[in-house]
Amino acid sequence: MLMGMAGKELVVGLLKKEGVDGKLVESVLEVPPDSSLGDFGFPCFVLSKEWKKSPQEIASELAGKLKVGKGVREVKAVGPYVNFFLEVDLVSESVLKDVWKKKERYGAGGKKKGKVMVEYSQPNTHKEFHVGHLRNVALGSSLIKIMRFDGKEVIAANYINDTGAHVAKCLWYLMKKGTKPVGNKGEWLGKVYVEATQELEKDDSFKGEVSDVLQRLEAHEKEMDALWKETRQWSLDAFNDVYGWLGVEFDVWFYDHEMIEGAKKFVEKLEKKGIAKESEGAIIVDLENEGLHTLVVGKSDGTIPYISKDFALASIKFEKFMIEENVYVVGSEQELHFRQLFKILELFGFKNAKRCFHLSYDLVMLPEGKMSSRLGNVVLFSDLKNELMDSLKGEVEKRHDWPAKRVDSVAKDIAVGALMFGMLCQDHQKSIVFDLKEWLNFEGETGPYVQYAHARLRSVLRKAKKKVGAGVDFSLLSEGVELELVKLLELFPSKVDEAASSRRPSLIARYCLDVAQKANDFYHRVPVLKAEKKLMEARLLLVWATAQVLCNGLSLLGIVALDEM
Ligand code: ARG
């Protein structure tokens, strides 16, 4: 699958001579996970029925008979596998030629069937947008890029929570105080929300005032509606600033306030189907037998719970967008919510309900502990952006005499690189510590480190002042570190495939780090520009291919591969 055709054909040819069906070999031939096991592995289970022997016996029998020869330097039985080791130059040739041919498409998968929707970010208007929310943005946007590169059709969706109790609290306090916004209006509003929740704790009678605001909001009272529209827009503008700066995009935007009618209808249908029932004025679904508790889907005061809006949203996704796979990137605190939701969608009878998936990620912590609006220790997005830009612009200016515009743009690419990589290099099921100093370290396991490794390779290519080409003597690439680098590059397509199907962008981040480390290792150990001409040509091709693969990998994480930094 991975290796260029030449190597695979050789193996198929050898096995054919021993009477094994060529088509069968092609369809089952594997690339061992560890290169010390060889370049290809043939699993002998597929023959054991026909040959009436155990796979182990077949493996050793075949390995004994197969003749090594042109291109194949060793054949070995390992358990039920026959493993093949190719001549190293054959490996380098097929991998590097493959990168050369495909360039920015190297690693991409073939077109795959089935439309997927990935819903991510989903912020609440009238609330703060902080670094915790960035983890979601990084995961969702990267997953979409990976799945698309792997050949899937993916719709990127956002779902804005713009109604409900949190909006009422914020507007209640805003009216009560009569204050006017300063600076970034969306962030200012988020701060008002935090103050509102603190104020609410002081006096119980405030609760009544807030629920009054909520009712007036839901009744679309004119004055209230106007205030809602105006303030909601402040938040949306602030979100769009974040998305624009990070370079992430959405194909569709859903809003909570659009789901109210659909939610009511859906709940009625649930009742008709006998899935939901009335209980003490409310409408409930009993999922006790599934171990998912009993939940309210229609409140006695007529307001719509969060989950019921999700019924309406899922119906739109399945019926209007005709999606087959439905991914929600949402924090792990909502695991129960999504299990309940998916169960009800299944009971309702949506054909693809089983293909709903909650990509559940863990918290972003600060070095000093948990982030909390109440404690006032959240890192707001605009503060973060300003701090990053200030320090990085200084760094870039120290090294280059560039016009301000270029300094700005490179500083921004490094800032985004640091954030995205920091958010993605850890598996999403584990918590991460947001430590800006560490994330910016050019020598750590960071975005800037990988970007720098790429820039260094590009600088070698610039200095060579020579056209790179694929017509080189591949047998000259014989140093251990060169072969290891080639082997890593060879893995990229299968990494993409694995990251897409297991929905784990962290695999790509770790992979980029491995390539960057190996590239640096190579750079320090092996001369390129000072090597003899033929050798230099071969090494330049390797340098070029490594830069290309890093660039492809980084772009899947939403990170710009800079030429100079
Ligand atoms: N806005 C919600 C929150 O902050 C997340 C929405 C997740 N998506 C969904 N379809 N329920 O908690």
Side-chain angles (χ1 to χ4, degrees):
M1 164 182 65
L2 301 176
M3 192 85 58
M5 282 317 289
K8 191 169 182 173
E9 276 158 11
L10 281 173
V11 173
V12 175
L14 281 178
L15 284 164
K16 254 166 117 175
K17 274 196 206 136
E18 298 308 321
V20 188
D21 180 53
K23 283 233 159 47
L24 175 72
V25 180
E26 265 185 54
S27 66
V28 299
L29 205 59
E30 295 174 16
V31 174
D34 180 343
S35 61
S36 69
L37 290 171
D39 299 300
F40 285 108
F42 175 67
C44 298
F45 328 95
V46 293
L47 295 178
S48 56
K49 211 169 167 189
E50 190 189 328
W51 291 25
K52 299 194 178 66
K53 283 181 190 153
S54 76
Q56 282 80 356
E57 280 173 281
I58 299 175
S60 53
E61 187 184 319
L62 277 174
K65 282 200 222 153
L66 287 167
K67 300 227 166 18
V68 295
K70 187 186 160 290
V72 180
R73 68 188 157 89
E74 198 185 344
V75 181
K76 205 157 83 182
V78 179
Y81 282 89
V82 183
N83 288 353
F84 297 83
F85 295 75
L86 302 186
E87 291 296 355
V88 284
D89 53 336
L90 201 70
V91 179
S92 309
E93 177 170 357
S94 61
V95 175
L96 297 181
K97 279 193 170 159
D98 205 23
V99 184
W100 180 255
K101 196 170 97 203
K102 297 183 178 143
K103 307 218 162 44
E104 66 284 346
R105 295 289 298 161
Y106 176 71
K111 221 169 147 59
K112 294 183 180 56
K113 276 211 239 87
K115 219 193 288 180
V116 189
M117 186 175 278
V118 176
E119 182 204 297
Y120 75 105
S121 191
Q122 317 111 317
N124 297 340
T125 63
H126 301 78
K127 281 198 189 179
E128 297 174 314
F129 197 105
H130 55 72
V131 293
H133 297 115
L134 282 182
R135 188 170 196 187
N136 186 320
V137 176
L139 274 170
S141 61
S142 165
L143 177 65
I144 290 167
K145 289 192 167 90
I146 293 168
M147 289 175 103
R148 283 183 179 154
F149 195 61
D150 193 44
K152 276 270 187 186
E153 179 181 353
V154 187
I155 304 173
N158 203 341
Y159 175 41
I160 308 280
N161 211 188
D162 60 351
T163 56
H166 72 284
V167 179
K169 278 183 208 168
C170 183
L171 296 189
W172 161 76
Y173 193 65
L174 198 62
M175 290 186 293
K176 195 177 165 96
K177 287 280 148 183
T179 46
K180 288 269 167 287
V182 279
N184 179 324
K185 291 182 184 168
E187 275 191 359
W188 176 84
L189 200 61
K191 286 183 191 141
V192 171
Y193 172 80
V194 175
E195 284 167 27
T197 56
Q198 284 158 354
E199 184 76 8
L200 265 168
E201 276 163 23
K202 290 188 193 150
D203 191 330
D204 253 6
S205 72
F206 292 158
K207 285 215 177 82
E209 294 178 29
V210 173
S211 94
D212 184 47
V213 172
L214 185 57
Q215 273 170 23
R216 287 165 62 197
L217 262 173
E218 294 195 344
H220 294 286
E221 202 182 84
K222 213 171 157 207
E223 191 190 336
M224 210 44 109
D225 222 36
L227 183 62
W228 172 69
K229 280 201 180 111
E230 184 185 13
T231 50
R232 167 184 181 277
Q233 193 58 44
W234 294 346
S235 293
L236 294 178
D237 290 345
F239 300 155
N240 276 315
D241 281 350
V242 179
Y243 300 144
W245 193 74
L246 292 172
V248 304
E249 284 168 359
F250 300 91
D251 303 310
V252 279
W253 294 72
F254 299 112
Y255 299 93
D256 188 283
H257 80 267
E258 299 168 339
M259 301 302 153
I260 296 177
E261 287 315 309
K264 285 183 189 159
K265 288 204 187 104
F266 196 94
V267 170
E268 278 166 21
K269 287 188 204 155
L270 284 178
E271 278 187 276
K272 275 208 195 99
K273 289 190 181 223
I275 300 165
K277 60 176 185 234
E278 227 185 289
S279 166
E280 297 168 31
I283 302 165
I284 59 164
V285 176
D286 177 351
L287 294 178
E288 301 293 345
N289 281 342
E290 327 274 347
L292 296 173
H293 313 284
T294 295
L295 60 143
V296 174
V297 295
K299 288 192 198 159
S300 49
D301 63 2
T303 55
I304 314 290
Y306 173 55
I307 192 159
S308 305
K309 292 177 190 162
D310 259 324
F311 301 150
L313 178 57
S315 312
I316 296 175
K317 291 180 181 182
F318 284 132
E319 286 163 359
K320 191 166 155 231
F321 288 86
M322 316 277 275
I323 60 165
E324 277 166 33
E325 205 178 314
N326 185 10
V327 181
Y328 300 81
V329 182
V330 182
S332 57
E333 69 284 357
Q334 294 194 28
E335 261 163 28
L336 177 61
H337 166 83
F338 282 105
R339 282 168 59 205
Q340 292 173 329
L341 172 66
F342 299 165
K343 189 51 147 194
I344 293 173
L345 295 176
E346 191 189 322
L347 293 173
F348 185 82
F350 280 117
K351 178 169 122 251
N352 289 317
K354 280 230 176 339
R355 301 191 58 194
C356 287
F357 184 82
H358 173 200
L359 192 140
S360 161
Y361 60 90
D362 208 318
L363 287 181
V364 178
M365 312 279 282
L366 296 176
E368 60 272 19
K370 222 173 153 160
M371 227 179 333
S372 137
S373 301
R374 289 164 150 274
L375 303 173
N377 71 346
V378 297
V379 182
L380 291 187
F381 178 76
S382 69
D383 295 336
L384 169 69
K385 178 173 123 185
N386 294 338
E387 189 186 327
L388 270 170
M389 285 303 277
D390 285 346
S391 81
L392 285 169
K393 273 199 280 193
E395 285 289 318
V396 175
E397 271 161 355
K398 260 190 245 160
R399 286 195 301 268
H400 302 277
D401 192 14
W402 283 343
K405 224 170 144 188
R406 180 154 187 210
V407 171
D408 252 34
S409 119
V410 169
K412 188 198 123 177
D413 289 340
I414 302 175
V416 173
L419 286 177
M420 289 295 201
F421 198 89
M423 292 290 173
L424 294 171
C425 70
Q426 174 74 273
D427 191 87
H428 57 260
Q429 279 156 338
K430 294 195 183 118
S431 66
I432 48 176
V433 178
F434 174 71
D435 186 335
L436 208 47
K437 228 176 123 194
E438 207 181 294
W439 288 18
L440 282 171
N441 186 349
F442 275 52
E443 268 133 47
E445 299 193 338
T446 66
Y449 171 82
V450 180
Q451 282 175 311
Y452 192 61
H454 173 269
R456 200 176 210 160
L457 297 170
R458 301 294 312 175
S459 130
V460 172
L461 293 169
R462 270 196 308 279
K463 283 190 196 134
K465 292 202 183 74
K466 223 178 138 17
K467 263 224 160 83
V468 179
V472 304
D473 181 352
F474 291 92
S475 70
L476 296 175
L477 296 173
S478 58
E479 296 281 338
V481 67
E482 292 171 328
L483 299 173
E484 283 157 22
L485 193 50
V486 167
K487 278 280 176 192
L488 262 180
L489 303 187
E490 184 191 8
L491 278 181
F492 185 55
S494 67
K495 282 284 168 197
V496 172
D497 206 40
E498 192 187 347
S501 53
S502 64
R503 303 185 189 89
R504 282 166 65 204
S506 62
L507 293 180
I508 299 294
R510 300 308 303 184
Y511 172 79
C512 287
L513 192 62
D514 289 345
V515 175
Q517 282 164 345
K518 195 57 80 187
N520 283 342
D521 202 12
F522 163 80
Y523 180 89
H524 289 298
R525 296 200 346 220
V526 177
V528 177
L529 300 176
K530 292 212 174 87
E532 169 280 321
K533 184 164 171 289
K534 285 260 168 281
L535 182 58
M536 177 176 82
E537 283 170 4
R539 287 187 177 155
L540 277 176
L541 176 64
L542 177 57
V543 167
W544 174 88
T546 307
Q548 183 68 58
V549 172
L550 274 179
C551 177
N552 295 7
L554 286 173
S555 77
L556 296 180
L557 307 174
I559 300 175
V560 176
L562 290 159
D563 276 358
E564 269 181 279
M565 58 194 276

